[in-house]
């Protein structure tokens, strides 16, 4: 997997870039016919290694879907990481700020 092009595109666009899963697959595994859950997990790990994260956090297996790739150390990346942590705590019933996610009900599916 060579995500140098994607990492540079995110950097050029001030820390966030909207990409199709088809474009990501082109650099991750051009020889593959389709995206699998395992390949998407590997892609997410490689993004993590490069200091990038995605929104939604769990990559879709459809090549027609779009995701945001965000620099993890940017203010937006830190906000997404924090919100993801709160969503995971909510999932296990330990969120100290559950009222926050109540105000934004549609966000849970993108963060967990």
């Amino acid at each position: 997997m060579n995500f140098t092009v994607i990492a540079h595109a995110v950097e050029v666009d001030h820390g966030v870039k909207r990409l199709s899963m088809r474009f990501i697959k082109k650099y991750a595994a051009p020889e593959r016919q389709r995206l699998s859950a395992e390949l998407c997990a590997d892609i997410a790990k490689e993004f993590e290694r490069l200091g990038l994260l995605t929104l939604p956090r769990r990559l879709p297996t459809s090549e027609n879907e779009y995701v945001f790739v965000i620099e993890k150390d940017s203010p937006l990346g830190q906000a997404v990481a924090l919100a993801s942590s709160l969503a995971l705590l909510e999932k296990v019933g330990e969120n100290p700020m559950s009222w926050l996610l109540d105000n934004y009900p549609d966000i849970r599916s993108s963060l967990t």
Side-chain angles (χ1 to χ4, degrees):
M1 287 185 222
N2 183 0
F3 292 124
T4 308
V5 171
I6 294 173
H8 288 296
V10 171
E11 185 178 336
V12 167
D13 280 0
H14 307 289
V16 63
K17 184 81 174 166
R18 183 175 182 254
L19 300 171
S20 71
M21 287 304 295
R22 183 179 323 274
F23 182 81
I24 293 171
K25 182 178 127 330
K26 176 180 164 183
Y27 290 97
E31 72 285 351
R32 298 277 300 256
Q33 290 293 323
R34 63 182 187 85
L35 290 165
S36 65
E38 295 81 20
L39 178 59
C40 287
D42 290 344
I43 292 169
K45 287 178 188 171
E46 184 66 14
F47 279 152
E48 184 78 24
R49 190 184 71 71
L50 293 171
L52 303 170
L53 54 87
T54 61
L55 190 63
R57 297 292 290 144
R58 184 176 300 136
L59 292 173
T61 57
S62 169
E63 291 184 28
N64 297 324
E65 296 287 327
Y66 283 82
V67 298
F68 288 96
V69 181
I70 305 164
E71 283 182 349
K72 194 175 186 178
D73 292 335
S74 70
L76 179 59
Q78 291 175 10
V80 169
L82 178 63
S84 294
S85 297
L86 287 174
L88 288 173
L89 286 171
E90 175 84 11
K91 200 172 194 178
V92 297
E94 296 294 324
N95 184 358
M97 297 173 37
S98 60
W99 56 269
L100 183 63
L101 291 178
D102 290 340
N103 292 334
Y104 304 96
D106 296 334
I107 202 163
R108 282 188 179 99
S109 63
S110 292
L111 294 173
T112 58

